[in-house]
């Protein structure tokens, strides 16, 4: 599904990713952990096509196709979804208009007709239920005045609406209390299929109790320095990252 | 000088005036008088061929307890200039001003507003928003004047501009001239560009860059359009605005 080969990326003169290699197959869940400033969020942004970062070397192959020159919307149409660490507030644009514009464009790209208002509302209701969001959220401006937990639930709701093949969830657990964490994680798990994949970026082991990864990668100074199975999370929880960095 | 067209609003049911719709003029000299307790809403639509030059002048007085809402929607015209003089002359008079301007090409649009609180306990608000593209220019001069004995005045003014090209130019000159000491007044002005974080967020969900920019612009002007209480009129103005974004 995703093959990242020797990926280098910079912001301005500063190199942040310094040779990332990653292979994600359909059906897998990968976790990327690492100390602050190791490049985790940069990796997520680069995969989603954020213009702030320049890819200076390497390849990103998604479903066998090099996506380095695709725009963010083209990557979205191809089935890539980024769950934001800090979801953006958009005053004046309602959640329903926002997601409707997104779904309509996705359908257009697939050659499907626009959903009727009734069909769309039914779909929205169904997907909002996955993250226990009530209908009052649809009329509110995107993320404006949402609590931390509500913002993250809104991310997973959008993911449910767009049904991506590759979801990259950037610190989806940050700012969540235990209940919100459970709701978000359950939502993500319900969307798992043998033909899609999830990359979870996190600081903490606790999210991985709910979303159980097949692989855990440790990112440090822009490189993956260690890869292991799910048991690594507990080891990191106990011993921190130093033993891996100093290895 | 052009002849002055007068509107006298008496107390009673609220009245609505549409300027610049179908056959009514969008420019000229107008004198509006609101008697005690009168309520009026005035909409001014300026949507002319891009060679037209428009000059509009409004002299407005409000007596005790009168209430006026006035909304300008300037969509097109080579040179549009609006000069607005409003005097709140009786206690508890209220005036809400809204303005939207969307110049493109080489168009120039300007608003020169003087809102004067002559007596105590009046309220005024001003919200002017502009989106400028190409080589367009705009200018907002807004003065709130509060007379020495106009205590308990509430007066607010905001002017926000969005530049969509590097050659567009918006000038904002908000001014307060306050001679009373027990007042609530504020003013603010900004000139900015489309928010890049919002744009990336929208695009990451599959919304094209073009559509994302339209959504952002609609959100920007929405605050002014929401002031239009008549829903049919609001929808028709929104549709006209959309064709310009």
């Amino acid at each position: 599904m995703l093959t990242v080969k020797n990926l280098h990326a910079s912001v301005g003169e500063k190199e942040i990713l310094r040779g990332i290699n990653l292979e994600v197959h359909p059906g897998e869940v990968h976790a990327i952990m690492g100390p602050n400033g190791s490049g985790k969020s940069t990796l997520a942004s680069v995969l989603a096509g954020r213009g702030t970062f320049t890819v200076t070397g390497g390849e990103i192959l998604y479903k066998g196709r090099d996506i380095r020159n695709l725009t963010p919307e083209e990557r979205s149409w191809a089935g890539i979804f980024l769950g934001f660490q800090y979801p953006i507030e958009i005053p004046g644009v309602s959640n329903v208009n926002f997601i409707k514009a997104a779904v309509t464009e996705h359908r257009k790209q697939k050659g499907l007709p626009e959903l009727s208002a009734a069909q769309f509302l039914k779909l929205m209701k169904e997907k909002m239920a996955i993250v226990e969001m009530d209908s009052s959220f649809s009329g509110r401006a995107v993320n404006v005045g949402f609590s931390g937990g509500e913002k993250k639930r809104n991310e997973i709701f959008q993911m449910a609406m767009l049904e991506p093949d590759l979801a990259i969830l950037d610190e989806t657990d940050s700012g969540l209390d235990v209940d919100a964490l459970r709701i978000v994680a359950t939502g993500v798990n319900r969307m798992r299929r043998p033909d899609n994949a999830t990359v979870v970026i996190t600081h903490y082991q606790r999210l991985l109790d709910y979303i159980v990864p097949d692989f855990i990668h440790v990112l440090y100074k822009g490189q993956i320095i260690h890869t292991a199975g799910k048991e690594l999370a507990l080891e990191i929880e106990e011993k921190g990252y130093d033993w891996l960095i100093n290895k | 000088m052009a002849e002055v067209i007068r509107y006298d609003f008496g107390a009673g049911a609220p009245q609505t005036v549409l300027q610049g719709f179908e056959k009514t003029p969008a420019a000229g000299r107008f004198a509006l008088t609101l008697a005690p307790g009168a309520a009026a809403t005035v909409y001014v639509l300026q949507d002319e061929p891009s060679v037209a030059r428009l000059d509009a002048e409004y002299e407005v007085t409000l007596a005790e307890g009168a209430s006026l809402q006035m909304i300008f929607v300037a969509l097109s015209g080579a040179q549009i200039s609006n000069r607005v003089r409003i005097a709140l002359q009786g206690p508890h008079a209220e005036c809400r001003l809204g303005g939207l301007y969307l110049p493109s090409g080489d168009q120039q649009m300007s608003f020169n507003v003087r809102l004067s609180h002559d007596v105590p306990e009046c309220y005024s608000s001003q919200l002017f928003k502009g989106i400028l593209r190409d080589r367009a220019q705009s200018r907002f001069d807004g003065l709130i004047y509060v007379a020495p004995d106009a205590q308990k005045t509430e007066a607010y003014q905001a002017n926000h501009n969005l530049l969509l090209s590097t050659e567009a130019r918006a000038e904002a000159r908000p001014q307060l001239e306050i001679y009373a000491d027990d007042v609530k007044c504020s003013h603010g002005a900004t000139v900015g560009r489309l928010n890049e974080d919002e744009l990336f967020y929208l695009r990451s969900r599959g919304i094209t860059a073009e559509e994302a920019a339209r959504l952002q612009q609609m959100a920007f002007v929405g605050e002014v359009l929401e002031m239009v209480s008549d829903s049919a009129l609001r929808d028709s103005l929104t549709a006209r605005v959309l064709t310009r974004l």
Side-chain angles (χ1 to χ4, degrees):
Chain A
M1 167 112 28
L2 177 71
T3 307
V4 177
K5 284 187 200 162
N6 194 27
L7 180 66
H8 289 253
S10 305
V11 61
E13 294 288 293
K14 193 174 172 1
E15 186 169 55
I16 299 178
L17 301 183
R18 302 186 303 148
I20 302 254
N21 292 291
L22 183 66
E23 179 84 42
V24 179
H25 297 104
E28 293 177 347
V29 175
H30 289 244
I32 296 178
M33 302 183 75
N36 276 331
S38 56
K40 301 188 298 292
S41 285
T42 300
L43 175 61
S45 293
V46 167
L47 293 176
R50 185 159 205 163
T52 343
F53 301 96
T54 317
V55 173
T56 50
E59 283 179 29
I60 308 170
L61 299 174
Y62 171 71
K63 296 181 184 173
R65 170 187 183 202
D66 189 344
I67 59 165
R68 277 175 304 170
N69 293 324
L70 296 190
T71 62
E73 56 268 39
E74 286 167 335
R75 296 182 202 212
S76 173
W77 303 335
I80 295 175
F81 178 88
L82 172 63
F84 282 57
Q85 180 179 5
Y86 302 109
I88 307 297
E89 298 181 4
I90 313 183
V93 176
S94 70
N95 229 17
V96 58
N97 284 348
F98 165 54
I99 198 65
K100 189 151 202 267
V103 168
T104 302
E105 195 57 48
H106 272 253
R107 290 183 66 87
K108 189 171 146 194
Q109 293 297 327
K110 291 193 181 84
L112 297 169
E114 202 172 327
L115 291 174
S116 72
Q119 286 170 320
F120 182 78
L121 286 176
K122 184 167 172 278
L123 181 69
M124 234 180 110
K125 211 173 156 187
E126 191 184 306
K127 303 297 187 184
M128 283 174 96
I130 294 180
V131 283
E132 299 179 25
M133 269 168 89
D134 73 76
S135 57
S136 67
F137 282 93
S138 47
R140 287 167 62 182
V142 180
N143 294 323
V144 177
F146 286 30
S147 70
E150 287 165 350
K151 284 182 181 172
K152 296 303 173 78
R153 275 149 68 179
N154 199 22
E155 293 294 287
I156 305 306
F157 158 68
Q158 293 164 37
M159 174 178 161
M161 290 294 285
L162 299 176
E163 298 184 323
D165 296 328
L166 175 65
I168 302 152
L169 305 177
D170 188 5
E171 307 248 358
T172 293
D173 51 339
S174 68
L176 293 190
D177 59 31
V178 175
D179 289 332
L181 182 66
R182 182 186 48 75
I183 293 169
V184 161
T186 306
V188 172
N189 286 332
R190 279 180 60 179
M191 285 182 251
R192 284 187 66 179
R193 296 187 317 255
D195 60 342
N196 67 17
T198 312
V199 175
V200 189
I201 292 170
T202 183
H203 253 74
Y204 303 105
Q205 171 263 335
R206 62 171 196 167
L207 176 68
L208 305 180
D209 287 342
Y210 295 93
I211 304 175
V212 180
D214 299 297
F215 300 95
I216 297 180
H217 310 276
V218 174
L219 192 60
Y220 181 68
K221 290 193 172 169
Q223 291 180 328
I224 288 175
I225 56 166
H226 190 74
T227 295
K230 64 180 182 214
E231 65 286 350
L232 180 62
L234 278 173
E235 245 181 303
I236 290 171
E237 187 77 359
E238 280 172 32
K239 302 197 274 184
Y241 293 106
D242 286 352
W243 63 282
L244 289 168
I245 291 165
N246 297 327
K247 215 168 55 169
Chain B
M1 284 297 254
E3 176 194 358
V4 177
I5 298 169
R6 294 186 184 282
Y7 291 97
D8 291 309
F9 301 100
Q15 296 172 68
T16 300
V17 173
L18 301 176
Q19 300 270 83
F21 291 77
E22 295 175 15
K23 293 196 174 69
T24 58
R29 297 175 69 203
F30 305 93
L32 277 55
T33 309
L34 282 85
T41 304
V42 179
Y43 296 103
V44 183
L45 174 65
Q46 297 171 325
D47 190 4
E48 303 294 320
S50 56
V51 291
R53 192 194 147 100
L54 249 70
D55 282 299
E57 256 189 69
Y58 285 87
E59 294 273 351
V60 185
T61 58
L62 283 83
E64 181 169 357
S67 149
L68 171 71
Q69 169 161 286
M70 198 167 179
I71 297 171
F72 291 85
V73 179
L75 299 180
S76 175
Q79 199 166 14
I80 295 181
S81 132
N82 289 295
R83 188 180 149 86
V84 184
R85 297 286 172 266
I86 297 175
L88 304 175
Q89 297 176 339
H92 306 290
E94 282 185 18
C95 177
R96 288 179 175 76
L97 271 186
L100 202 60
Y101 44 97
L102 308 173
S104 59
D106 291 300
Q107 296 180 349
Q108 298 181 2
M109 298 187 181
S110 72
F111 288 87
N112 185 310
V113 179
R114 181 191 160 97
L115 212 153
S116 120
H117 283 254
D118 296 341
V119 296
E121 296 182 54
C122 291
Y123 172 94
S124 73
S125 69
Q126 302 174 44
L127 176 64
F128 284 83
K129 288 189 147 189
I131 301 177
L132 293 86
R133 55 191 82 227
D134 309 322
R135 296 160 306 279
Q137 292 184 27
S138 73
R139 185 181 169 104
F140 175 81
D141 285 283
L143 171 69
I144 297 173
Y145 169 84
V146 180
D149 60 345
Q151 303 296 0
K152 309 275 182 205
T153 285
E154 263 190 77
Y156 307 101
Q157 182 193 72
N159 173 227
H160 301 296
N161 298 280
L162 203 50
L163 302 182
L164 299 187
S165 88
T166 50
E167 292 164 283
R169 188 179 156 82
E171 259 187 84
R173 291 167 50 106
Q175 295 171 73
L176 293 176
E177 219 176 283
I178 301 175
Y179 299 98
D181 52 16
D182 182 15
V183 300
K184 277 191 207 163
C185 292
S186 72
H187 66 171
T190 59
V191 179
R193 298 186 186 278
L194 288 176
N195 182 305
E196 288 289 333
D197 289 336
E198 290 180 7
L199 193 60
F200 175 63
Y201 191 60
L202 292 161
R203 294 178 73 188
S204 78
R205 299 303 182 242
I207 298 169
T208 60
E210 202 184 15
E211 184 60 23
R214 268 164 65 91
L215 279 174
Q216 287 180 287
Q217 291 175 62
M218 265 324 279
F220 181 79
V221 298
E223 224 184 331
V224 176
L225 290 170
E226 274 160 26
M227 291 175 73
V228 180
S229 49
D230 177 322
S231 65
L233 182 62
R234 186 174 59 240
D235 289 349
S236 93
L237 284 173
T238 303
R240 271 177 186 262
V241 166
L242 266 171
T243 65
R244 298 280 169 187
L245 301 182

